[in-house]
């Protein structure tokens, strides 16, 4: 059984985009922005809080012995910056959905650029939040690195492992 993925022709994908585009344009910018904010908070605040709280418990010197309430506030500030970024990204992608862009979204290069951009943005926002709290550069680097790994790399690894397990089940 040949299990290679075959992409549809550019004409077929462009036709699909033309059919779906009217549906997307009916969505109001406000609903797109609200959805982006809700999802950003839902998928960012809890992991960020867990990273900061666990770091406080395991290595209090990383957070200067901050309280749980302080780490919850840090996570909320970080999630707010991520939510603002999500609003901008969602509104920009809503306006930029052209048939010519269909090919660009499927490339490995584009996926890697989005992953690296997300990692950099997460690191930058975590650094900004933690710098305002008065943490040193070393503390910020460790916490931002762990946070970026938890938010971006662990889900990627989990998805790969789940896909591999699913393909093994299908092969049996």
């Amino acid at each position: 059984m040949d299990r290679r993925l075959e992409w549809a022709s550019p004409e077929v994908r462009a036709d699909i985009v033309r059919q779906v585009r009217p549906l997307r344009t009916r969505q109001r910018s406000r609903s797109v922005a609200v959805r982006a904010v809700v999802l950003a908070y839902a998928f960012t605040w809890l992991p960020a809080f867990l990273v900061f709280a666990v770091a406080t418990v395991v290595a209090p010197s990383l957070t200067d012995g901050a309280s749980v309430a302080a780490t919850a506030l840090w996570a909320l500030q970080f999630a707010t910056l991520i939510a603002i970024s999500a609003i901008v990204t969602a509104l920009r992608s809503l306006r930029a959905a052209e048939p010519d862009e269909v090919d660009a979204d499927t490339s490995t290069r584009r996926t890697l650029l989005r992953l690296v951009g997300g990692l950099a943005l997460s690191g930058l926002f975590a650094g900004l939040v933690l710098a305002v709290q008065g943490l040193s550069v070393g503390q910020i680097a460790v916490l931002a690195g762990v946070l970026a790994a938890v938010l971006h790399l662990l889900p990627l690894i989990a998805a790969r492992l789940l896909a591999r397990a699913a393909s093994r089940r299908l092969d049996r």
Side-chain angles (χ1 to χ4, degrees):
M1 173 192 264
D2 187 21
R3 299 192 54 126
R4 288 182 295 160
L5 180 64
E6 293 186 29
W7 295 103
S9 68
E11 296 84 25
V12 170
R13 288 187 284 169
D15 187 44
I16 291 170
V17 168
R18 276 192 292 279
Q19 292 173 12
V20 172
R21 185 172 171 86
L23 298 174
R24 285 191 66 174
T25 55
R26 279 189 228 143
Q27 294 176 341
R28 295 185 16 222
S29 296
R30 177 180 278 171
S31 67
V32 171
V34 167
R35 189 176 320 123
V37 167
V38 169
L39 291 174
Y41 276 109
F43 290 111
T44 305
W45 182 81
L46 184 60
F49 172 67
L50 290 175
V51 166
F52 295 147
V54 168
T56 298
V57 171
V58 173
S61 62
L62 274 178
T63 59
D64 287 340
S67 67
V68 173
T71 59
L73 179 63
W74 298 354
L76 183 63
Q77 291 169 340
F78 174 75
T80 300
L81 292 174
I82 294 292
I84 291 168
S85 169
I87 291 171
V88 171
T89 302
L91 292 177
R92 195 173 65 204
S93 70
L94 181 66
R95 292 188 184 104
E98 294 296 325
D100 296 339
E101 294 180 30
V102 173
D103 292 342
D105 288 340
T106 61
S107 71
T108 304
R109 181 174 180 248
R110 179 74 177 143
T111 302
L112 286 174
L113 284 174
R114 291 178 74 179
L115 177 65
V116 169
L119 284 167
L121 203 58
S122 294
L124 175 73
F125 289 160
L128 182 63
V129 167
L130 297 171
V132 170
Q133 306 308 320
L135 297 181
S136 70
V137 173
Q139 292 168 315
I140 292 170
V142 169
L143 288 171
V146 170
L147 186 57
V150 166
L151 289 176
H152 296 283
L153 297 179
L154 288 181
L156 184 68
I157 292 168
R160 290 280 283 172
L161 291 175
L162 289 173
R164 198 175 285 169
S167 70
R168 284 184 187 148
R169 268 186 263 137
L170 290 175
D171 289 339
R172 289 182 191 174

